[in-house]
């Protein structure tokens, strides 16, 4: 079964540094997402991306965050200047149609654990 | 933002018995609901969903029940198996143009052999 692939599995960075998290969504999917889960907390929506632009973002997704689909297969999340509170598991997800469509659940990758020291 | 709540952080069940995981929500505008299962070091995996116009959906050992008047849904797993041991997340989504899933905090299910 096709999978969403995320790299690296674990990223350690120093506060203030830029990080880029990589994702390869499922190839025929059109909608792409980033979610995050701070340790012990719930999974939170960050951003959705469709047709080469952000379609929705949460209040967490401030100017320090950006997303890009640089080619036909990759989908990246960049954090420009990391803070301690950015430490979390970041999940990429994709779906072939809008997830509000009944039979279009999100397919998640295995996540990148980001540790900011 | 506690629109979706899972009040039981953990649940322990004997193999072969029924597991019942509960979820409450506050927003009556949610259009449908999903359950995801998550193993350690993996991403959430879709399990089963239910539209707000239904009150039950069944898929093999998994059944989701929706009580709209109580704003409550539950996931029943029967019979429970040790491989079902995982964190279960309830999630909800509005209809229309939004793409945002709203997750509960999860319930850790342990199925004892």
């Amino acid at each position: 079964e096709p999978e969403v692939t995320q790299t690296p599995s674990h990223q350690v960075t120093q506060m203030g540094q830029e990080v880029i998290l990589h994702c390869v969504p499922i190839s025929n999917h059109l909608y792409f997402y980033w979610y995050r889960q701070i340790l012990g907390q719930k999974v939170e929506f960050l951003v959705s991306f469709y047709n080469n632009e952000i379609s929705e973002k949460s209040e967490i997704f401030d100017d320090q965050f950006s997303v890009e689909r640089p080619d036909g297969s990759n989908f990246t999340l960049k954090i420009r200047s990391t803070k301690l509170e950015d430490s979390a598991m970041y999940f990429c997800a994709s779906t072939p149609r809008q997830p509000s469509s009944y039979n279009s659940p999100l397919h998640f990758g295995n996540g990148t654990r980001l540790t900011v020291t | 933002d506690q629109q979706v709540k899972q009040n039981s952080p953990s649940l322990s069940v004997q193999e072969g018995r029924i597991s019942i995981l509960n979820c409450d929500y506050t927003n009556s505008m949610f259009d449908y609901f999903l359950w995801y299962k998550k193993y350690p070091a993996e991403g959430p995996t879709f399990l089963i969903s239910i539209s707000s116009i239904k009150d039950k959906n069944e898929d093999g050992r998994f059944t989701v029940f929706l009580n709209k008047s109580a704003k409550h849904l539950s996931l029943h797993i029967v019979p429970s198996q040790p491989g079902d041991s995982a964190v279960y997340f309830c999630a909800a989504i509005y209809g229309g143009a939004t793409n945002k899933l709203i997750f509960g905090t999860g319930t850790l299910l342990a199925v004892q052999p």
Side-chain angles (χ1 to χ4, degrees):
Chain A
E1 188 176 317
E3 292 181 341
V4 175
T5 306
Q6 289 187 245
T7 55
S9 56
H10 191 190
Q11 174 87 48
V12 181
T13 189
Q14 288 193 323
M15 196 167 54
Q17 295 296 304
E18 174 184 287
V19 292
I20 299 176
L21 308 183
H22 298 266
C23 172
V24 178
I26 295 173
S27 62
N28 64 341
H29 285 191
L30 300 177
Y31 293 81
F32 313 113
Y33 310 86
W34 286 99
Y35 283 75
R36 79 173 185 189
Q37 185 182 25
I38 294 171
L39 189 63
Q41 298 185 25
K42 60 183 176 180
V43 178
E44 300 174 290
F45 170 79
L46 291 179
V47 66
S48 61
F49 191 87
Y50 169 69
N51 201 24
N52 282 320
E53 61 183 23
I54 290 173
S55 51
E56 191 172 0
K57 60 183 180 179
S58 72
E59 58 274 11
I60 302 167
F61 194 88
D62 62 21
D63 292 345
Q64 293 301 308
F65 290 86
S66 62
V67 289
E68 196 177 32
R69 187 153 164 83
D71 53 42
S73 60
N74 290 285
F75 180 52
T76 60
L77 174 69
K78 183 195 290 187
I79 309 174
R80 284 189 189 81
S81 177
T82 50
K83 308 185 196 88
L84 294 176
E85 54 266 36
D86 293 329
S87 295
M89 183 72 91
Y90 287 80
F91 293 105
C92 174
S94 68
T95 185
R97 293 175 294 279
Q98 286 234 137
S100 52
S101 170
Y102 180 62
N103 288 317
S104 187
L106 269 64
H107 296 256
F108 285 87
N110 285 338
T112 293
R113 179 167 297 286
L114 176 66
T115 302
V116 183
T117 61
Chain B
D1 180 0
Q2 290 285 309
Q3 295 189 70
V4 179
K5 290 181 260 193
Q6 294 177 257
N7 292 318
S8 298
S10 63
L11 175 69
S12 184
V13 168
Q14 285 293 120
E15 182 178 4
R17 299 292 192 95
I18 185 170
S19 296
I20 300 176
L21 298 111
N22 293 303
C23 178
D24 297 293
Y25 61 96
T26 56
N27 197 322
S28 57
M29 299 301 291
F30 286 133
D31 194 42
Y32 82 110
F33 304 88
L34 308 91
W35 285 94
Y36 279 83
K37 178 167 84 170
K38 185 182 179 304
Y39 293 117
E42 293 186 13
T45 303
F46 171 72
L47 205 52
I48 191 168
S49 62
I50 187 167
S51 166
S52 61
I53 62 172
K54 307 267 191 185
D55 54 21
K56 178 182 172 181
N57 187 28
E58 192 171 347
D59 184 2
R61 295 186 297 115
F62 303 93
T63 303
V64 55
F65 295 93
L66 175 62
N67 182 334
K68 283 191 74 175
S69 60
K71 295 192 177 72
H72 177 83
L73 64 154
S74 60
L75 174 68
H76 292 212
I77 306 172
V78 56
S80 302
Q81 298 171 355
D84 296 329
S85 298
V87 177
Y88 288 78
F89 291 99
C90 170
I93 190 166
Y94 299 100
T98 185
N99 294 286
K100 183 169 67 173
L101 273 180
I102 298 173
F103 282 87
T105 49
T107 297
L108 174 62
L109 173 67
V111 180
Q112 310 294 337

